[in-house]
Amino acid sequence: MPKKNWGLTLVMLLSLLLAACGESNDTSLKLSDAAQATPPDQAGSIVFATPNGTPGSDATPTPEPDVTPLATGNRPAEKVAIGYSAPDFTLQSLQAKAVKLSQYRGKPVVINFWATWCGPCKAELPLLQKTYAAAAGKFELVGVDVGEEEPLVRLKVKEVGLSYPNLLDRDMKVTTLYQVRGYPTSFFLDKTGVISSIQPGSLTESVLQPKLDKILK
């Protein structure tokens, strides 16, 4: 083939390559523009339900407030959260009797998760006993000892003079069910068994009384 034809062929090939590159860049730009135009509500947000059944949309569900309106009509489904019915459980008492949480239905209940090795737990026991005795049956107080054997718990109960029932959660199944992360932790239930408030950490009189007043109404 003559040299002149080779030169012409080379020029044509270069022109075709330049045109192809231009189309590729233009396509990439269009795809990028389209991605930026995607509406935020279609970007994979997590949809969750609030305690009163109203759906919400957010990447992370917002924490439930201390005061949450209870669902009307049927009792809320069991869930360890404010505004929901507390999950039922059965544990053995120090008197070797099976005690079921639901047997206290009709009265406000305070569930106190504690352990004999826990300093803050031991510090609040006299206040709990004093408050329980003064209430004269207006509410039920249930202690749940976490993972310890009966003789050790019995000794501490006798030492402090606790008259309210203390139950043994030896295998910690109830503690796990209630998602307890530290001790002490207390749950305040109204007379229908719905969780009114949750107190992680020590109870003082100024913290305890308002929460009690709320479930005693």
Side-chain angles (χ1 to χ4, degrees):
M1 184 180 292
K3 292 183 179 179
K4 184 169 66 175
N5 289 346
W6 273 109
L8 180 60
T9 302
L10 183 59
V11 170
M12 291 175 66
L13 285 171
L14 288 172
S15 299
L16 289 171
L17 284 171
L18 289 172
C21 288
E23 288 178 4
S24 175
N25 289 338
D26 185 57
T27 302
S28 299
L29 182 61
K30 288 178 181 177
L31 286 173
S32 175
D33 291 343
Q36 292 178 9
T38 302
D41 60 349
Q42 296 178 13
S45 59
I46 299 172
V47 177
F48 63 98
T50 58
N52 60 8
T54 306
S57 178
D58 200 344
T60 303
T62 54
E64 294 170 1
D66 188 54
V67 179
T68 303
L70 302 182
T72 56
N74 294 331
R75 223 166 33 117
E78 290 186 347
K79 179 182 176 182
V80 185
I82 295 167
Y84 289 85
S85 292
D88 199 11
F89 61 81
T90 302
L91 288 173
Q92 190 177 54
S93 72
L94 293 176
Q95 290 72 40
K97 293 181 180 179
V99 176
K100 196 177 182 72
L101 176 64
S102 57
Q103 75 185 51
Y104 297 115
R105 191 63 51 78
K107 260 189 181 182
V109 178
V110 178
I111 310 171
N112 177 248
F113 288 85
W114 69 290
T116 63
W117 50 261
C118 165
C121 300
K122 291 185 285 187
E124 71 178 10
L125 291 178
L127 172 63
L128 289 172
Q129 173 58 34
K130 175 186 171 183
T131 307
Y132 175 72
K138 292 180 181 177
F139 74 96
E140 295 294 341
L141 175 57
V142 179
V144 176
D145 179 84
V146 180
E148 298 182 296
E149 293 301 319
E150 181 268 337
L152 190 61
V153 182
R154 181 182 294 279
L155 185 64
K156 176 55 67 176
V157 165
K158 183 178 180 180
E159 178 188 324
V160 183
L162 303 181
S163 60
Y164 57 86
N166 275 273
L167 313 180
L168 302 171
D169 187 20
R170 292 190 183 95
D171 57 11
M172 299 179 65
K173 286 184 178 179
V174 175
T175 304
T176 301
L177 173 65
Y178 273 71
Q179 303 170 28
V180 176
R181 301 286 188 267
Y183 316 105
T185 295
S186 300
F187 293 81
F188 294 77
L189 283 52
D190 68 17
K191 64 182 180 180
T192 67
V194 171
I195 299 173
S196 171
S197 57
I198 303 170
Q199 174 62 31
S202 297
L203 286 165
T204 61
E205 191 166 358
S206 62
V207 172
L208 175 60
Q209 200 56 53
K211 293 182 182 297
L212 271 180
D213 290 343
K214 185 176 171 185
I215 61 175
L216 288 170
K217 287 180 179 178

